[in-house]
């Protein structure tokens, strides 16, 4: 994973610097408290700031890789990579309110510290600045392609909010089909990863086929990742994932294994619908039932299927042998092998 | 006011139709509940829907007028006028959550009916669609000017959210200067009215001077309107304004007359800081004090000053004699003379 580490080491400081300078410029000094809420959320200041609080910055890294692959110099990709990271973080600020999450990346959330009203508004501003970040590419990218990029960006936003709408709606529903679930995670997780790979060929004016293939590749990686996350929420090892095993059973999260178990209508289903509360002991029993009823195998196979599909697409998006192809492949492997 | 009524009669149905069709297209049928929240907020469906619930649609009307003035056909302005109305309404959906307002335009607010999480997300989607609405002008407006329009739109959003940040921040402050207050209402109210007049010359590729003058005109109208609203919050007639007289004193709103009275440091100030609760009787007494201390005259003169400044700018923005100039003037007069 040397290429991967080298790529992150080289580019992460540049990504952070671009984001910091852009926010500094757009929210000048009399409004330092407002900028401070963003800087806190981005992990740059306040209690617990630092690498851990900043998150992986995976999305802008992927956008830079895709940019180089399309012949766009790194510095010309920053308007887009920062836009993606701002979009992602705006959605996290609002999601934390919507899900009533008090902690993120080991720290208190923005709404918990500054209240819901300021947190909503700070998210709105960050969302607006994401579009402004892209517009900085005016000049280095042709007007035609920049307008296409803005359009694709807001189509991504539209799908993201539809995914979030479905997620919240599902919480109040007694049954959700696995098909509905895949639609929801496609919107919530896969669409933005698709955009990370689509934005470079859009900005470079590549063919529609190339753009669609790149988007499809990113979406497939996103689905593989999300379904593995669901798998680990029941069968993961807390020492590796940081996620307690069986945790999704205890929190009654509508994840893929659980929805599949319900759809199977066997012993798991009977116990599941009879118990509104799931104790750690019951969760053990349910996990065993899911495994006996073939759900663990099914979900594991789905992870494999999407990962394999992504790997098949990879050489069609990135020229094989190319260093970027190596780094992207290493990122996927790291994403998909967190449990060993 | 015949010209004014004729203009609204002709264009309001077109504005509504464009908004409705656009939302229908962007939020297709499996998501009718999501679209329904927007349609409810826009006043098209649900309990109490209709003219009253839709609001005046003042901003898109102003944008169309400015468009005709710049030689842009009405149908080519809809992408922009609908973007403005969507931006305005997105901000209302979020403001209602932030201010904990349970009612708007005589009906329950979106968050009150569907909960805060769905209301935040619905606002986010509406905000994103506003940008997409503008991009529909691709083809009828040159790419250069469309990119400038998107940039100006998001600069407006940036200023709006900074204004909203200040407004919420002021609530928790014991003293706010009138200067800080003017900055806040410039962001919250005046900026968007400025954009209503600026967007047409931007889209038509007019000179920077023309664009700035148009924006300045709209902002001045916005300030005149907001300060008059503050005046009426203390000295208005409920039969005319729908706003109880002295209401801003009773709710201890940090409006211009009250901030001015505090800055004067005389009798009003003494009583104001000694009473956390303001009874209707005390409000009467305070209103008299403000008048005796010259605040009523001062604020009335400010309304006049901004209105006069707007009227001075009007012929520089709209050719005088032109029917649109007549309509815009009538709109301003109607906005500014609500109390007689």
């Amino acid at each position: 994973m040397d290429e991967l580490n080298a790529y992150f080491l080289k580019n992460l400081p540049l990504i952070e610097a671009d984001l910091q300078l852009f926010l500094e410029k757009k929210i000048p000094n009399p409004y330092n408290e407002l900028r401070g809420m963003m800087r806190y959320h981005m992990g740059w200041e306040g209690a617990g700031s630092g690498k851990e609080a900043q998150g992986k910055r995976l999305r802008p890294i992927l956008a830079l890789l895709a940019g180089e692959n399309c012949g766009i110099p790194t510095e010309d990709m920053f308007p887009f990579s920062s836009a993606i990271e701002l979009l992602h973080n705006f959605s996290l600020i609002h999601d934390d309110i919507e899900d009533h999450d008090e902690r993120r990346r080991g720290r208190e959330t923005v709404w918990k510290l500054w209240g819901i009203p300021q947190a909503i508004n700070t998210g709105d501003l960050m969302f607006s600045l994401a579009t402004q970040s892209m517009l900085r590419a005016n000049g280095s990218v042709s007007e035609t392609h920049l307008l296409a990029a803005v359009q694709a960006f807001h189509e991504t936003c539209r799908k993201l909010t539809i995914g979030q709408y479905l997620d919240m709606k599902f919480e109040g529903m007694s049954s959700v089909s696995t098909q509905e679930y895949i639609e929801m995670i496609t919107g919530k997780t896969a669409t933005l990863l698709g955009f990370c790979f689509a934005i470079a060929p859009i900005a470079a004016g590549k063919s529609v086929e190339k753009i669609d293939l790149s988007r499809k590749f990113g979406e497939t990686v996103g689905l593989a990742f999300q379904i593995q996350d669901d798998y680990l929420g029941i069968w993961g090892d807390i020492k590796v994932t940081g996620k307690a095993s069986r945790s999704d059973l205890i929190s009654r999260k509508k994840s893929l294994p659980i929805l599949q178990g319900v759809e199977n209508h066997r012993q798991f289903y009977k116990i599941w619908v009879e118990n509104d509360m799931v104790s750690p002991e019951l969760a053990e029993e349910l996990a065993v039932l899911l495994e006996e009823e073939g759900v663990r195998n099914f979900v594991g196979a789905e992870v494999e299927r999407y990962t394999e599909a992504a790997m098949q697409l990879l050489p069609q998006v990135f020229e094989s042998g190319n260093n970027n192809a190596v780094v992207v492949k290493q990122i996927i492997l790291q994403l998909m092998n967190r449990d060993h």
Side-chain angles (χ1 to χ4, degrees), chain A:
Chain A
M1 299 271 167
D2 285 352
E3 294 90 347
L4 176 63
N5 291 333
Y7 197 86
F8 271 86
L9 264 176
K10 180 182 152 214
N11 288 294
L12 268 185
L14 302 174
I15 287 171
E16 298 303 303
D18 185 70
L19 282 163
Q20 295 209 16
L21 287 171
F22 180 64
L23 291 184
E24 190 90 21
K25 192 180 155 208
K26 283 294 166 185
I27 317 166
N29 237 342
Y31 314 114
N32 39 322
E33 191 197 18
L34 177 56
R35 192 174 66 242
M37 287 186 260
M38 296 201 182
R39 290 183 52 83
Y40 172 83
H41 177 82
M42 297 300 288
W44 298 323
E45 67 180 38
S49 59
K51 278 253 170 255
E52 192 69 26
Q54 286 161 27
K56 294 186 292 288
R57 306 286 193 237
L58 177 67
R59 291 163 188 79
I61 285 279
L62 294 174
L64 292 189
L65 283 161
E68 287 177 25
N69 188 53
C70 290
I72 302 177
T74 304
E75 60 267 30
D76 290 347
M77 276 307 288
F78 288 135
F80 301 108
S81 62
S82 288
I84 289 171
E85 192 62 12
L86 290 171
L87 169 62
H88 176 57
N89 280 281
F90 132 72
S91 79
L92 295 180
I93 292 175
H94 280 193
D95 281 9
D96 285 340
I97 305 169
E98 291 161 14
D99 301 340
H100 209 79
D101 283 332
E102 299 187 353
R103 300 187 75 78
R104 165 164 308 274
R105 298 173 187 149
R107 312 157 82 205
E108 288 190 285
T109 47
V110 173
W111 73 265
K112 186 77 179 125
L113 286 173
W114 284 278
I116 289 175
Q118 287 288 11
I120 294 174
N121 189 60
T122 298
D124 291 343
L125 175 52
M126 198 181 267
F127 188 16
S128 176
L129 292 182
T131 300
Q132 285 206 35
S133 174
M134 271 190 294
L135 296 176
R136 292 183 296 161
N138 205 346
S140 65
V141 165
S142 87
E143 292 177 333
T144 305
H145 302 149
L146 184 52
L147 281 168
V150 175
Q151 172 67 32
F153 181 83
H154 282 280
E155 263 302 286
T156 303
C157 299
R158 188 180 71 85
K159 289 175 183 166
L160 265 174
T161 49
I162 289 178
Q164 178 67 4
Y165 152 75
L166 291 175
D167 194 18
M168 295 190 286
K169 183 185 166 178
F170 290 171
E171 276 172 36
M173 282 164 57
S174 58
S175 82
V176 174
S177 71
T178 52
Q179 196 192 336
E180 290 173 308
Y181 177 78
I182 295 292
E183 186 194 359
M184 183 275 281
I185 62 171
T186 300
K188 266 202 80 161
T189 304
T191 297
L192 186 52
L193 279 171
F195 184 73
C196 292
F197 290 98
I199 183 62
I202 291 169
K206 302 284 184 193
S207 70
V208 174
E209 292 71 29
K210 178 81 181 175
I211 293 166
D212 287 347
L213 210 57
S214 303
R215 183 186 289 113
K216 182 82 187 159
F217 169 68
E219 286 179 359
T220 309
V221 171
L223 286 173
F225 174 73
Q226 183 60 53
I227 296 172
Q228 158 153 299
D229 201 58
D230 284 8
Y231 180 95
L232 297 174
I234 296 181
W235 295 289
D237 179 347
I238 189 170
K239 279 173 287 185
V240 181
T241 63
K243 207 169 173 177
S245 60
R246 327 289 186 238
S247 60
D248 285 355
L249 286 163
I250 294 168
S251 65
R252 291 188 69 88
K253 187 175 165 188
K254 290 195 177 77
S255 70
L256 184 61
I258 293 169
L259 296 175
Q260 186 62 47
V262 168
E263 263 183 19
N264 284 349
H265 255 252
R266 292 170 61 189
Q267 194 58 25
F268 169 86
Y269 167 74
K270 282 185 198 148
I271 300 182
W272 183 255
V273 294
E274 277 167 10
N275 291 274
D276 286 344
M277 299 280 288
V278 178
S279 67
E281 295 72 31
L282 184 59
E284 284 301 320
E285 191 186 327
L286 287 166
V288 171
L289 283 174
L290 282 177
E291 193 159 348
E292 286 175 3
E293 294 172 13
V295 172
R296 183 175 185 166
N297 275 346
F298 168 78
V299 176
E302 284 292 281
V303 174
E304 278 310 305
R305 188 167 69 90
Y306 282 109
T307 309
E308 193 48 42
M311 289 303 184
Q312 292 283 339
L313 286 167
L314 180 58
Q316 297 176 59
V317 178
F318 287 84
E319 278 172 58
S320 59
N322 180 309
N323 184 60
N324 288 356
V326 175
V327 175
V328 170
K329 190 169 178 178
Q330 288 180 352
I331 289 177
I332 297 174
L333 289 175
Q334 200 173 71
L335 277 176
M336 301 313 299
N337 290 282
R338 296 179 307 177
D339 56 341
H340 38 86

